[in-house]
Amino acid sequence: MPPVSGRPPARTARAPDVYDSSMPDRQVVVPSADAATIERLLAGDEATFMMLVDQNQPAMVRLAQMYVSSHAVAEEVVQEAWIGILKGLPSFEGRSSLRTWMYKIVTNVAKTRGVREGRSLPFSALAGEHDDPVDPSWFQGPDDPFPGGWRTFPDDWRGIPEDRLLGRETLDHISRALDGMPPMQAEVVRLRDVQGWSSDEVCNALDLTETNQRVLLHRGRSRIRRDLDAYLSEGRDR
Amino acid sequence: MSEQGLTCQEVIELLSSYIEGGLTVDDRRRVDEHLALCDGCTTYLEQMRETIRLSGMVTEEQVPEDEKTALLAAFRDWRS
């Protein structure tokens, strides 16, 4: 592949710094989009800063909220984190993506604040929800012909018109499902599936192991699927 | 289906990892074998993929104006 102009060749200069060689596509240099963003911020470009705020502020406040006692404190934490981010920009090394690094700073500030408030770990955020997004009664029991097999096959969504699938109401169901999830689970799904982050970035930003991240993501997706299925199958013949 | 084949209930718990390419070669093969024979799980997999696609259409909430104003002030302060 020809080199992309203006971008140093990947995986050469700083290869020894790679701390997870099992991830072949990990960036070992500051990705060009991040580098451009940092350059503009350092030059004092307010539009770039406000774009970052628009993209990240709601998620950052939710993230901080997992560690501290109130929404107001979470906002303070994020404000403090932004100042830390700006001050740290000149020394950003690009060992992770810019946004991952930013969220780590939020997590660190929030944790420190949470400890000061006498809160330790976000147990509530990590707790499992009470309802299982996969209902065991969908499957045949031990005395049935095919234990663990479907009792009734799930609905095929392929016949559903695109404008219904993408309608406001469908998307509202997804938002409501996210709002009903334990906070960490919701945040994993929001970052992965709503915002399109990689699992690597999410693990780093939220301080989760790969296994935890995957479990939370799967449960979250399963719950959205269940809620969507209930909505989409309304008024359909089965 | 062979004795050691996965049940539908087991397969659907592996589908996020399957989609992510996060399964071991062995598990992936077992899921593929199951899917090849099971319309129910194939439909469920399609639903999971569709769930991911539709989630990508959800828009993030708006940042309140007072928070924006405070942050812009912090940015100007940092520059000076």
Side-chain angles (χ1 to χ4, degrees):
Chain A
M1 211 168 63
V4 180
S5 66
R7 190 166 167 182
R11 297 188 204 99
T12 50
R14 296 185 43 198
D17 282 354
V18 176
Y19 53 83
D20 182 358
S21 55
S22 66
M23 299 299 296
D25 59 352
R26 174 184 288 286
Q27 292 288 343
V28 296
V29 293
V30 181
S32 54
D34 281 353
T37 302
I38 291 166
E39 200 173 311
R40 287 199 295 273
L41 289 173
L42 291 174
D45 182 0
E46 291 178 358
T48 299
F49 179 69
M50 293 319 288
M51 186 194 69
L52 276 188
V53 168
D54 279 332
Q55 284 171 348
N56 299 292
Q57 176 79 0
M60 285 177 164
V61 173
R62 287 193 305 263
L63 175 59
Q65 175 81 73
M66 292 185 218
Y67 295 92
V68 299
S69 57
S70 70
H71 188 82
V73 175
E75 280 180 23
E76 281 173 33
V77 161
V78 174
Q79 170 106 6
E80 190 184 330
W82 276 113
I83 293 166
I85 287 163
L86 292 172
K87 287 186 174 151
L89 272 183
S91 51
F92 174 70
E93 290 181 336
R95 284 166 189 256
S96 61
S97 67
L98 178 62
R99 58 191 182 187
T100 297
W101 175 78
M102 287 167 31
Y103 282 57
K104 280 181 91 103
I105 292 176
V106 173
T107 302
N108 288 337
V109 175
K111 276 184 178 169
T112 306
R113 185 64 176 262
V115 169
R116 222 188 304 153
E117 284 187 321
R119 289 167 66 109
S120 48
L121 284 167
F123 287 119
S124 62
L126 285 166
E129 70 272 67
H130 296 296
D131 62 328
D132 191 332
V134 173
D135 185 342
S137 74
W138 296 342
F139 302 95
Q140 299 181 36
D143 300 328
D144 292 314
F146 299 104
W150 293 102
R151 280 188 199 280
T152 312
F153 280 0
D155 259 356
D156 191 339
W157 292 354
R158 280 175 301 182
I160 300 171
E162 187 75 354
D163 58 355
R164 175 159 158 87
L165 281 174
L166 294 179
R168 185 68 260 158
E169 222 181 315
T170 308
L171 302 184
D172 283 349
H173 273 85
I174 298 177
S175 295
R176 275 202 292 279
L178 285 164
D179 290 342
M181 286 175 203
M184 192 62 96
Q185 186 184 105
E187 219 42 51
V188 168
V189 178
R190 284 182 203 274
L191 292 179
R192 289 297 314 277
D193 291 346
V194 179
Q195 301 206 30
W197 291 34
S198 71
S199 67
D200 209 29
E201 284 181 299
V202 172
C203 290
N204 263 311
L206 302 184
D207 201 12
L208 292 171
T209 64
E210 172 60 36
T211 306
N212 274 342
Q213 190 256 175
R214 202 178 296 164
V215 169
L216 292 171
L217 179 65
H218 182 69
R219 292 185 68 85
R221 282 174 177 171
S222 302
R223 189 202 273 240
I224 295 173
R225 188 217 63 85
R226 182 196 64 188
D227 291 2
L228 281 179
D229 195 44
Y231 163 65
L232 292 170
S233 60
E234 275 169 22
R236 296 186 90 212
D237 295 328
R238 295 206 46 161
Chain B
M1 226 174 293
S2 63
E3 275 300 300
Q4 68 271 40
L6 296 168
T7 67
C8 302
Q9 199 167 1
E10 290 165 340
V11 165
I12 65 165
E13 293 302 343
L14 295 173
L15 290 181
S16 267
S17 299
Y18 178 84
I19 291 168
E20 306 264 295
L23 291 181
T24 62
V25 174
D26 230 37
D27 280 347
R28 184 171 185 91
R29 182 182 46 76
R30 298 206 296 165
V31 172
D32 278 330
E33 282 170 5
H34 182 99
L35 289 171
L37 299 170
C38 180
D39 289 346
C41 287
T42 302
T43 300
Y44 192 96
L45 173 64
E46 273 311 306
Q47 288 188 348
M48 286 294 266
R49 289 202 162 115
E50 195 64 359
T51 296
I52 295 166
R53 181 176 78 100
L54 295 174
S55 298
M57 309 289 177
V58 171
T59 44
E60 185 59 273
E61 58 185 283
Q62 300 286 306
V63 184
E65 281 307 316
D66 59 329
E67 283 179 45
K68 282 193 184 192
T69 309
L71 288 169
L72 186 57
F75 184 71
R76 288 176 177 158
D77 199 39
W78 165 73
R79 283 173 59 201
S80 57

